[in-house]
Each structure stands twice: as C-alpha cells, then as structure tokens.
Amino acid sequence: ERLRRDLELLLEEETGAVALEACDAAGALRAIHPALRWTLTESSSPSPRRWRGGRGVRYGFALLAAHASPDDAAAIIARLKLKRGEAAAVTGIAALRNAAATLARPDAKPSGVAVLLDRYPEESVAAFAAMHSGAIAGRLALRYLAEWRDVKPALNGRDLLAMGVPEGPRVHQGLQLLRAARLDGWVVDRDDERALTMRVAKSI
C-alpha cells in the first residue's frame, strides 16, 4: 500500500512523468514488478489533461502496466493492492493488447470499434491510444474517445415499443442496431431511425 501511494503521488504531480522516467531508468519500477515500465514515449504522448485526481491516476497506472500480460496485471494488482478503479484500468490495458490486431485494420467500421472498446475503462483505452500513437490502432482508439463513444440513437426504448418492436431483448438489439447505423452513417436523423425501426419491426 505504501508503494501504491507513492506511485499515486507521482502520478498526481504535474511533472511526475520526469520522476517516473528516472524510476524506470534506475530499475525501481522493475523491482516492484518486472512488467512495470515508464518510457519517454509514454510520458511524451498526449494525455487527457481534463483528467485530474482519481481518473488521472487510473490513466497513469494503465500506462505503467501497458506492457503487462493479463497474468502480470493480476500480479501487479495484488502487489500494490490497487483500488478498484486502478485495478480495472490495469486489467483493461492488459486485455486490450489482444485487441491490437483487430484495431489495426484500416477498414474497421466505427460500430465495430465501438462495440470492442465499450468493454474497457476509458482510462485503459486512452493509455492504449497513447501507446499506439501514430498507428492505425491508436488513431481509431482516439476517435472512439473523441467521437464514437458517446454516439447514441435519437430514439429510445419507449419509441421502439410504440413502433411495434416486441418488449424484451429485441428492444436492446434494436437500440444497438440504431447506434451502429448512426456510427456507420446509415442513418443521420430521427426520421432515418424511425424508418429503419419500422423495417426491423416488420421483419420480426
């Protein structure tokens, strides 16, 4: 817990990245766990400056664990007794390593990227984007954070029920379809969504 708190204090500092680079160069991070790293590339990457306090710390721990495997992530969490949000960020960045190949496809659709990245904490996705800055995967992750993550259909569940979509999982599926259509440009306004919903309702 003492080690975790010291790292938290560094991550909260405006110039903490410089100290973390020194810790990495001296082998202090590897002494805590061999998978912990902090390199010049990471500290110089664009970071979400809007994140302060806990969210910034979670982002920082995700960067520290960006080279960790899922097993390493579990060991880091146990070693430092990470808090729930910090642990989720570390687990997320480790799991996202397996998604890099999928996100490297230049023809990836926004809806597919959103479905994939919705599973992970925002801080993990931001750290992944920083680690892959300049690559297709990093650019897609940044677009997800900046644009696609918050896209929602104009219609809601009540609207779908009123248009004939059966109550239950079909409503959730319909909303997912509308969001995908928005993301991929199939629909652009409420009227388009209503037309698509009517076609879906008739096909059920």
Side-chain angles (χ1 to χ4, degrees):
E1 292 177 358
R2 173 76 177 270
L3 287 170
R4 184 198 72 226
R5 184 56 186 148
D6 283 343
L7 289 172
E8 287 173 344
L9 289 170
L10 286 175
L11 292 168
E12 289 168 355
E13 287 287 339
E14 195 71 33
T15 57
V18 177
L20 287 165
E21 287 168 20
C23 288
D24 185 75
L29 296 179
R30 289 189 297 278
I32 298 171
H33 189 279
L36 287 177
R37 291 179 56 191
W38 191 280
T39 69
L40 180 63
T41 300
E42 283 135 296
S43 63
S44 61
S45 296
S47 63
R49 294 186 181 277
R50 68 185 184 281
W51 291 350
R52 297 297 180 197
R55 296 196 69 196
V57 169
R58 292 194 290 270
Y59 172 72
F61 272 113
L63 280 178
L64 281 166
H67 302 280
S69 68
D71 287 343
D72 289 332
I76 290 167
I77 291 167
R79 173 82 170 94
L80 294 174
K81 299 190 187 305
L82 294 184
K83 301 170 188 174
R84 182 181 301 175
E86 297 167 352
V90 168
T91 300
I93 190 67
L96 269 167
R97 291 179 64 189
N98 296 326
T102 303
L103 290 171
R105 293 168 45 201
D107 60 340
K109 293 182 178 180
S111 60
V113 174
V115 167
L116 175 64
L117 295 182
D118 281 346
R119 307 170 190 169
Y120 303 102
E122 186 178 358
E123 297 89 350
S124 302
V125 177
F128 177 88
M131 290 299 300
H132 293 81
S133 179
I136 292 171
R139 291 196 296 271
L140 287 174
L142 283 176
R143 286 203 67 186
Y144 166 81
L145 291 171
E147 304 172 39
W148 303 334
R149 181 174 181 267
D150 296 321
V151 169
K152 293 180 176 60
L155 300 181
N156 58 37
R158 290 187 299 275
D159 296 324
L160 269 61
L161 288 170
M163 295 171 67
V165 176
E167 191 172 354
R170 294 284 192 178
V171 173
H172 178 66
Q173 292 166 6
L175 292 173
Q176 287 182 313
L177 174 63
L178 290 177
R179 185 190 183 212
R182 279 266 182 182
L183 285 164
D184 295 340
W186 304 343
V187 302
V188 295
D189 56 26
R190 191 180 184 89
D191 289 339
D192 288 345
E193 289 188 14
R194 289 181 63 85
L196 177 58
T197 302
M198 290 300 295
R199 291 199 299 272
V200 170
K202 288 179 181 178
S203 70
I204 295 175

